[in-house]
Every structure is written in structure tokens, then in C-alpha cells.
Amino acid sequence: MNSIWFRRYTTATGYGPRLVCFPHAGGSATAFKPLAHALPADFDVMAVQYPGRQDRFAEEPFTDLERLADAVAGELAGELAADPGRPYALFGHSMGALVAFETALRLERAGLPGPRRLFVSGRGAPDSRSGERYRHYGDADVLAELHRLSGTDRVLLDNPEVLEMVLPALRADYRAVGTYVWGGGGPLAVPVTALIGDADPVVAVSETPAWEAHTTGGFALEVFPGGHFYLNDQMGRVAAAVTEGLYARAFAA
């Protein structure tokens, strides 16, 4: 791949379905390295690398979620064109679920082959407006939220040098989620699987089925033990759910 937007963490790209992964707020492509290794070897796992982190640290991060989805959709369209016919799916966690959803919308509206499935993890439906509380978050609020969600090692968050590096992307991502407003329009034709931890403090299990209204392609709900970052402890089960949701159906047609 020539694009600076995607990373692979396996030695072989595989000839099976492609899974494109979208990180959480403040997260990077490496968040999906464990999932890439837990999935079957024939999967081609691509993780999105947003600007403003790791090797893209010098780039300005996006503060507008829809503009971020515009950029990702444009880059992804080129990757799909280079390998036409390969079935693919999108997987987004937390903020990444909204970016993946908006990316799927853009690909569909452009008349491009859509994903076989959209996996949305740890996030309420686009019209829930649950992210509005982040609109006016300052640095202290963002750090308190990270501590509450236990998604980042506290030792790292207490390190001033690390904080100086990660805060610009965190500020931008929380701003993007806080100002995001679903634009309406027709539902996706793509099947949707929502994944959620049963003790997630961000979105309740009871709220998650609201995603069903955003697809005409079928809906499934997968509930796992754990909080907002349930994936860290349930990677094998998450990989199994993704495999069942995509691989078993990818070549059915």
C-alpha cells in the first residue's frame, strides 16, 4: 500500500475477506494489532491511521468527524479499486464506529461496492447525540474520561512527556465526537453488527439496538463481558464474532 492512511500488522495480506479497522478517540492503528493476529490467517486486516498520532504526529488532526470520514472514504476507494472483487467489512470502536458508519455512507452514495458488513463497537447509534457532552471538554475532562474508561495505562497518562504528545490528538478527537450531528438520510443497505461490553459506562446494552434503524441489510447484537474496552480481554471472542459475521457470509452470494 502506498497510502499513509492504512497499516497492516501481519506478514501476509491473505486472500480472504478484508477488514478495515477504525480506532477510538485518541487511538492509533496499533490498537488493532491484537485483532489482526487473532483473526484467521487469510484475512487481510487494514487499520486506519488518523493524522496527529504516531508516525503522523506532525500532521494536524481532524476536529470534524465528517471531514475525517471524507478523507478516509477517498483513500479507501483507491485501495478497493486496486483489488476489486475482494469482499470487505468495516470495524470501528467507539469514535471509530461513527467514522466507519460515515465512511460506509460515503462509499455507498458514490456508487462503490459497499462492505459486506459494518461492525460498530462501544458506541450508540448516530442519531443518539450521546457525544454532545464532549463538545466543551477541556484537557482535564478528557483525561478524567480516559481514567474512567480504563483504556489507557495510567502510568502513561501521568507522564508529562507522553501527555504532551497525545493531548493534541485527544483534544481533536473529542471535539470531533462532541460536534458530530447525524445528517439524516436513508439507512445503509449494509448489514450491521453492534458489539458492546455489558458494563460499558459510555453506552448501555439497551441503547445499542438503536443501530438497527440505520440499516436495511439486517442487524445483529453481540454482548461481551467488560467495560468500554472489553476488546482487550475478549479478543478471541471478538475475532470469532467478526469471523462468523463476515467470513461465513463473504462468499455466500
Side-chain angles (χ1 to χ4, degrees):
M1 291 183 297
N2 294 321
S3 176
I4 62 172
W5 282 85
F6 305 107
R7 304 289 179 272
R8 284 190 174 101
Y9 297 107
T10 53
T11 56
T13 60
Y15 297 97
R18 170 175 288 161
L19 185 69
V20 185
C21 301
F22 296 72
H24 56 280
S28 63
T30 52
F32 290 103
K33 186 175 181 179
L35 180 59
H37 288 284
L39 287 166
D42 64 342
F43 268 60
D44 179 23
V45 183
M46 295 166 46
V48 179
Q49 185 76 304
Y50 305 140
R53 59 216 77 202
Q54 293 186 333
D55 55 339
R56 302 189 70 184
F57 176 76
E59 299 177 52
E60 193 72 21
F62 282 81
T63 57
D64 184 297
L65 192 143
E66 293 199 68
R67 285 187 57 239
L68 176 57
D70 287 340
V72 176
E75 294 290 329
L76 184 55
E79 295 295 328
L80 299 176
D83 193 6
R86 185 198 289 263
Y88 74 98
L90 308 181
F91 185 111
H93 180 65
S94 198
M95 179 186 87
L98 295 177
V99 182
F101 170 75
E102 289 288 344
T103 298
L105 279 176
R106 282 152 176 75
L107 295 173
E108 189 172 273
R109 289 169 182 169
L112 297 170
R116 294 294 179 93
R117 185 162 290 268
L118 171 64
F119 296 92
V120 289
S121 170
R123 176 58 57 184
D127 54 340
S128 70
R129 305 178 74 92
S130 60
E132 285 188 341
R133 64 182 181 275
Y134 303 132
R135 186 183 295 261
H136 302 295
Y137 264 29
D139 290 353
D141 301 307
V142 170
L143 293 176
E145 182 78 354
L146 293 181
H147 285 305
R148 184 172 75 98
L149 299 181
S150 302
T152 306
D153 190 331
R154 189 175 188 114
V155 174
L156 296 178
L157 294 179
D158 290 339
N159 185 317
E161 293 182 359
V162 173
L163 278 181
E164 185 178 356
M165 293 179 63
V166 302
L167 270 175
L170 281 166
R171 291 187 197 109
D173 289 353
Y174 273 84
R175 176 68 177 169
V177 174
T179 56
Y180 170 74
V181 178
W182 177 58
L188 287 168
V190 177
V192 172
T193 295
L195 305 92
I196 187 73
D198 61 6
D200 193 327
V202 174
V203 56
V205 173
S206 60
E207 299 175 80
T208 311
W211 277 99
E212 187 171 8
H214 295 275
T215 178
T216 60
F219 175 77
L221 174 63
E222 299 278 353
V223 182
F224 301 87
H228 190 60
F229 288 95
Y230 69 91
L231 297 89
N232 296 337
D233 298 319
Q234 304 293 331
M235 193 58 67
R237 292 183 59 185
V238 172
V242 171
T243 304
E244 170 62 22
L246 174 60
Y247 190 71
R249 300 176 175 87
F251 302 102

